[in-house]
C-alpha cells in the first residue's frame, strides 16, 4: 500500500481595501519554521451593480453602455493544468480599469481583484472549489464616467485529479483554522519517494483544495515570498519558482549554474533574487596516518549557501 507524506506550511495574512485591493503578508525568512501567506483575499467595496440576467457559459457580448466604452469580449476559461484555476479575459475599445466580481453557485458576486487601466485584461481567478459554477461580472471604470457592470458569465471548475489524495479537515472544537490558505507538498512513498509523482497543494480554511501544481520531482524546499510566488525544488537538481497569479513558472538547473544540487531550501530575496542550499564535494589534503606516516587526501561532502540576483547571476 502506498503512503503519502505531507510537508505543511500554515498560511495567514492581513488584507486592506480602500477603493482597491492590496495584499499584505508577513513572511519570516527562517529555515524550517512557520511561514505566513495569503495568496489573495477578495473584499467588497460596496453593493454590486450586477443584474439578474442568467449567466451564459463561456462568453458574453455586452450591449454598449451609456459610457463611451465598448466591451468587445468578456470570457473565462479553466486552466488545463489546474481544474480549480481560471482566467478571465476582458477586451475593450479603449483603456479602463476592471474590477472582477466573483460569486459561487448563485451567491451575489463580490469584488475579487481590481486591475490597472488597459484595453485588454488577463485576470487569474483563483481560490475556486472543484465541480462548482461561478458567476463573473466585470465592472468597468475609466475614471471619467460612472462605473458600469457587464452582464454576468459563468465559469465552471472541473474535478480534482484522480490520483490526488482525498483531503479531510479535522480541528479542535475550540480552535478554528486561521484565515487564508495552507500550502504543502504531497509526496507518494511506495515504500520510498517516487521521483515522478509529487504535488504542491493549497487548501482554504474549509480544507478545500483551491490550487495545485503537479511536479515531476520531489519538492523538498518550500517558501512563499511577498509577491505570493512559491519556491520549491523539482528533484535535487532543479530550483523552481511558481507565480500562481501570473500563471508562470521559472526553473533553474543547478548544473547550468555550475553547482551540484538544490536541496531542502529555496528562498526568495527582497531584491527579486533567491537563495539556494546546494552541496559540494571537496578534496581535503594533508591527513597523516599516524601508523604508517602516509599522507592522505579525503573527499568531504558539504553544504553551500548560494545567492543569486534577479538575472540569475551569483552574488
Amino acid at each position: 500500500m502506498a503512503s503519502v507524506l505531507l510537508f505543511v506550511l500554515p498560511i495567514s495574512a492581513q488584507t486592506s481595501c480602500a477603493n482597491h485591493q492590496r495584499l499584505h503578508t508577513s513572511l519570516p525568512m527562517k529555515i524550517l519554521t512557520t511561514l505566513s501567506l495569503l495568496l489573495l483575499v477578495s473584499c467588497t467595496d460596496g453593493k454590486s451593480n450586477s443584474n439578474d440576467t442568467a449567466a451564459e457559459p463561456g462568453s458574453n457580448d455586452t450591449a454598449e453602455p451609456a459610457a463611451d466604452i465598448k466591451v468587445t469580449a468578456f470570457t473565462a476559461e479553466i486552466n488545463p493544468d489546474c481544474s480549480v484555476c481560471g482566467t478571465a479575459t476582458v477586451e475593450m475599445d479603449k483603456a479602463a480599469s476592471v474590477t472582477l466580481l466573483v460569486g459561487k453557485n448563485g451567491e451575489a458576486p463580490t469584488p475579487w481583484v481590481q486591475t490597472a487601466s488597459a484595453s485588454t485584461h488577463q485576470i487569474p481567478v483563483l481560490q475556486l472549489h472543484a465541480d462548482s459554477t461561478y458567476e463573473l461580472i466585470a465592472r468597468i471604470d475609466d475614471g471619467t464616467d460612472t462605473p458600469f457592470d457587464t452582464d454576468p458569465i459563468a465559469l465552471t471548475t472541473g474535478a480534482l485529479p484522480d490520483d490526488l489524495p482525498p483531503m479531510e479537515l479535522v480541528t479542535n472544537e475550540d480552535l478554528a483554522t486561521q484565515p487564508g490558505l495552507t500550502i504543502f507538498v504531497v509526496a507518494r512513498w511506495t515504500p520510498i519517494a517516487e521521483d515522478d509523482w509529487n504535488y504542491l497543494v493549497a487548501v482554504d480554511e474549509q480544507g478545500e483544495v483551491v490550487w495545485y501544481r503537479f511536479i515531476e520531482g520531489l519538492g523538498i524546499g518550500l517558501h512563499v515570498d511577498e509577491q505570493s510566488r512559491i519556491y520549491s525544488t523539482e528533484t535535487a537538481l532543479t530550483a523552481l519558482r511558481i507565480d500562481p497569479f501570473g500563471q508562470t513558472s521559472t526553473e533553474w538547473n543547478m548544473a547550468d549554474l555550475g553547482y551540484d544540487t538544490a536541496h531542502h531550501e529555496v528562498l526568495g530575496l527582497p531584491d527579486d533574487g533567491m537563495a539556494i542550499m546546494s552541496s559540494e564535494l571537496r578534496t581535503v589534503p594533508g591527513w597523516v596516518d599516524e601508523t604508517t606516516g602516509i599522507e592522505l587526501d579525503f573527499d568531504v561532502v558539504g553544504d553551500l549557501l548560494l545567492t543569486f540576483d534577479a538575472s540569475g547571476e551569483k552574488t
Side-chain angles (χ1 to χ4, degrees), residues 241 250-254 256-259 267 269 271-276 305-315:
R241 183 174 69 194
T250 306
E251 297 181 359
W252 291 271
N253 183 280
M254 298 309 295
D256 294 341
L257 296 174
Y259 297 96
L267 301 176
L269 298 178
D271 60 357
D272 208 29
M274 63 177 177
I276 299 175
L305 175 61
L306 307 175
T307 58
F308 299 88
D309 61 20
S311 65
E313 295 295 325
K314 185 177 180 300
T315 58

Side-chain angles (χ1 to χ4, degrees), residues 64 77-79 103 105 131 144 146 148 158 169-170 178 189 193-196 198 208 247 249 253 283 290 305 307 311:
E64 187 171 357
E77 61 182 1
I78 293 297
N79 187 328
N105 295 337
D131 295 319
T144 61
T146 301
F148 66 90
L169 175 65
V170 178
Q178 295 184 4
W189 295 66
E194 296 185 12
D195 289 338
D196 59 353
N198 299 272
E208 296 282 351
Q247 299 181 341
S249 62
N253 183 280
T283 300
E290 295 181 354
L305 175 61
T307 58
S311 65

Side-chain angles (χ1 to χ4, degrees), residues 154-208:
L155 177 65
T156 300
T157 58
L160 295 174
D162 292 337
D163 61 350
L164 192 66
M167 309 287 175
E168 181 182 1
L169 175 65
V170 178
T171 63
N172 186 289
E173 292 182 359
D174 299 325
L175 181 63
T177 56
Q178 295 184 4
L181 307 180
T182 301
I183 186 170
F184 49 87
V185 177
V186 181
R188 186 162 59 187
W189 295 66
T190 58
I192 61 174
E194 296 185 12
D195 289 338
D196 59 353
W197 190 99
N198 299 272
Y199 278 97
L200 288 169
V201 177
V203 298
D204 61 16
E205 57 264 39
Q206 301 171 2
E208 296 282 351

